[in-house]
Amino acid sequence: MPTTTSPTVASALRSPRILTREVLAGLVVALALIPEAISFSIIAGVDPRVGLFSSFVMAVTIAVLGGRPAMISAATGAVALVIAPVAREYGMDYFLATVILAGVFQLALGALGVARLMRFIPRSVMVGFVNSLAILIFLAQLPHLFGVPWAVYPLVAVGLVVLVALPRLTKVVPAPLVTIVLLTAAVLVAGIAVPNVGDQGELPRTLPEFFLPSVPLTLETFSIIAPYALAMALVGLLESLMTAKLVDDITDTGSNKTRESLGQGTANVLSGLFGGMGGCAMIGQTMINVKASGARTRISTFLAGVFLLILVVALGDVVALIPMAALVAVMVMVSVATFDWHSIRPSTLKRMPLGETLVMLATVAVVVATHNLAIGVLVGVVAAMVVFARRVAHFTRVTRVVDGDTARYFVDGELFFASSNDLTHQFSYTEDPDRVEIDLSRSHVWDASTVAALDAITTKYERLGKSVTVTGMNDASSSFHGRLAGQLGGGE
């Protein structure tokens, strides 16, 4: 449960110290967003301005409508991968229509309360999600560290030293901002030739404009874009809600997941209408904002979008000079800070049940292999369900007591598909006397598989001319059993 209260927008505006922190955090995030948005545009097969404008619209909209203060939403690689085929095969109008429809789907899912499903994601999957994101953030920096001038390496090293040492001396100015300014100044003064932001793609010179996609409003169009839009909606919501939960844990505060879902939908609709590629929450930039810069309010998210637009439109020539080495150093530190190192300590692994560790590793492996967070989390949840089902199934025990002409069976534990499938093999059909009593007072009937198993047991005994009585069921089990008993197509 949340135990602290984050500053509100009103309190931040009244406090010069908090406001300064929020403003500087927004500036750092904006600088980090630029190369990311450009690279995600390339992945999606669209012009860099599409990703940059999308990041502006997403950040500003979520700052107002989102349910998790200080979380950053912008163009992301996960979304780019999902909808890239639309731009390649059908063109820009269909691409933007897909983004808008994805937003509509998210609004519908938010209204239906899909955010409540977050409670079914276990801790082991959450840890795997965090660790896999940290690994992906680090892997994304490797292209900027191979095949580059040797000067990049000392610049990155200096940047890492500043990022580690400065917070121990002062937190007045965010260490990432100092790193970016310091390394940029060093490169310009010394005339060092290293890759910079300008090398990543051309920055736009104009403001985003309202754009209505020119596509036929027909079922054929819907059938083309709906699968991509639904996939984008699900991936975006999953990543956003998981990131919101992570920020909740880091800041020890709560968030409104349903509001976040609706905010994501609105942001994607507006992104598509202003020529953007849509997006969702960004774990790396959110960690820069919340962990590295200490931001806690919507001000930092809003200003990240505003600064992004100002930087690329009005100060594009200056921003283009920032060395990629500075941003790489920042993102490497973000990946290190994001990774849950406690989860892989030998002492932790020794205490943790093997099943929990395997679920975490499965989540990490699938996310890193596919670069798709949704697939990794779904695999992790399924693995966790299997581990849980196997564990609970082993807790079911059947005890046999023969009292004269009656055999009594006492069933202990939860009865569902994983445990009830073996239930039929735990009775001594031929050896039991003519009367059999099955006591379920210390168990619960959860599903049709259990009812079918009880039917099968009863049928086996009746074929041997023996009577069976099931006793001790609680009201819920009795009602469920009464509706389905004898209606499931045979006893065996």
Side-chain angles (χ1 to χ4, degrees):
M1 293 292 291
T3 58
T4 61
T5 302
S6 286
T8 62
V9 171
S11 63
L13 292 174
R14 290 193 298 268
S15 170
R17 180 183 62 84
I18 297 177
L19 182 59
T20 300
R21 183 185 68 193
E22 299 293 316
V23 171
L24 293 177
L27 179 57
V28 174
V29 171
L31 290 169
L33 276 174
I34 293 172
E36 295 273 325
I38 294 173
S39 64
F40 296 149
S41 298
I42 295 171
I43 291 173
V46 295
D47 190 272
R49 72 180 66 237
V50 176
L52 291 166
F53 287 162
S54 182
S55 296
F56 160 70
V57 174
M58 292 290 299
V60 170
T61 304
I62 282 297
V64 178
L65 302 179
R68 173 64 260 179
M71 189 169 76
I72 304 297
S73 289
T76 62
V79 167
L81 286 170
V82 170
I83 59 175
V86 181
R88 185 172 60 249
E89 297 175 19
Y90 300 101
M92 198 63 193
D93 286 296
Y94 279 82
F95 179 86
L96 296 178
T98 303
V99 174
I100 296 170
L101 183 59
V104 173
F105 282 152
Q106 287 179 329
L107 287 170
L109 291 169
L112 291 172
V114 70
R116 289 193 291 269
L117 296 176
M118 284 297 295
R119 72 184 67 179
F120 297 109
I121 297 180
R123 180 187 176 278
S124 52
V125 176
M126 190 67 195
V127 172
F129 168 80
V130 171
N131 289 347
S132 60
L133 283 172
I135 294 170
L136 289 181
I137 291 170
F138 180 78
L139 292 177
Q141 310 315 309
L142 295 183
H144 303 294
L145 295 173
F146 290 100
V148 294
W150 68 268
V152 167
Y153 303 112
L155 287 172
V156 172
V158 171
L160 292 173
V161 170
V162 173
L163 289 163
V164 172
L166 186 62
R168 299 180 181 181
L169 301 176
T170 179
K171 293 185 178 180
V172 175
V173 182
L177 180 59
V178 174
T179 302
I180 292 171
V181 172
L182 181 65
L183 294 187
T184 302
V187 167
L188 295 178
V189 170
I192 304 172
V194 292
N196 56 33
V197 172
D199 297 329
Q200 305 305 303
E202 184 181 357
L203 301 178
R205 301 286 182 178
T206 59
L207 296 173
E209 298 177 354
F210 182 82
F211 180 83
L212 199 61
S214 178
V215 296
L217 300 178
T218 62
L219 284 176
E220 182 183 0
T221 300
F222 182 80
S223 66
I224 291 173
I225 66 175
Y228 298 102
L230 182 59
M232 174 182 168
L234 293 175
V235 168
L237 276 185
L238 183 59
E239 186 164 350
S240 298
L241 294 176
M242 293 283 282
T243 304
K245 188 174 186 302
L246 176 61
V247 178
D248 291 350
D249 294 339
I250 292 172
T251 61
D252 203 19
T253 58
S255 61
N256 187 327
K257 305 296 191 301
T258 297
R259 178 176 173 178
E260 183 63 34
S261 301
L262 296 173
Q264 289 289 331
T266 305
N268 274 305
V269 170
L270 291 175
S271 175
L273 291 174
F274 281 90
M277 60 183 282
C280 61
M282 298 188 74
I283 183 70
Q285 278 64 25
T286 297
M287 290 300 100
I288 291 176
N289 199 42
V290 174
K291 264 195 168 183
S293 303
R296 290 294 182 270
T297 76
R298 300 177 185 274
I299 295 174
S300 58
T301 306
F302 181 82
L303 290 179
V306 173
F307 282 141
L308 172 66
L309 190 64
I310 294 173
L311 288 170
V312 298
V313 174
L315 300 173
D317 293 338
V318 176
V319 172
L321 299 175
I322 296 174
M324 287 302 299
L327 299 176
V328 168
V330 171
M331 297 309 292
V332 167
M333 281 304 300
V334 167
S335 70
V336 171
T338 301
F339 196 91
D340 186 352
W341 296 101
H342 180 268
S343 66
I344 61 171
R345 288 178 183 170
S347 58
T348 303
L349 295 174
K350 186 180 296 184
R351 289 193 301 268
M352 192 68 64
L354 179 60
E356 300 279 325
T357 302
L358 292 177
V359 168
M360 185 267 286
L361 293 175
T363 305
V364 171
V366 174
V367 171
V368 173
T370 64
H371 285 229
N372 190 312
L373 295 167
I375 294 176
V377 170
L378 288 175
V379 169
V381 169
V382 171
M385 290 168 59
V386 172
V387 169
F388 174 76
R390 285 177 57 85
R391 187 180 302 162
V392 174
H394 292 314
F395 291 155
T396 303
R397 185 176 70 255
V398 178
T399 305
R400 176 177 180 261
V401 176
V402 178
D403 183 13
D405 62 347
T406 303
R408 291 186 174 88
Y409 287 87
F410 298 91
V411 182
D412 294 82
E414 304 301 312
L415 295 175
F416 64 112
F417 64 90
S419 58
S420 61
N421 284 337
D422 294 329
L423 191 64
T424 56
H425 303 298
Q426 301 188 50
F427 290 80
S428 303
Y429 300 99
T430 57
E431 300 173 10
D432 284 338
D434 290 342
R435 293 177 58 192
V436 177
E437 181 182 317
I438 303 174
D439 188 334
L440 300 181
S441 58
R442 294 195 294 266
S443 61
H444 187 98
V445 176
W446 286 106
D447 60 9
S449 296
T450 302
V451 177
L454 292 172
D455 283 352
I457 293 168
T458 302
T459 299
K460 285 176 181 289
Y461 277 115
E462 289 177 347
R463 287 177 179 174
L464 296 172
K466 302 176 182 181
S467 64
V468 179
T469 304
V470 179
T471 64
M473 280 192 284
N474 57 41
D475 292 341
S477 295
S478 180
S479 175
F480 186 78
H481 180 265
R483 285 202 315 272
L484 295 180
Q487 306 297 319
L488 298 174
E492 289 188 81

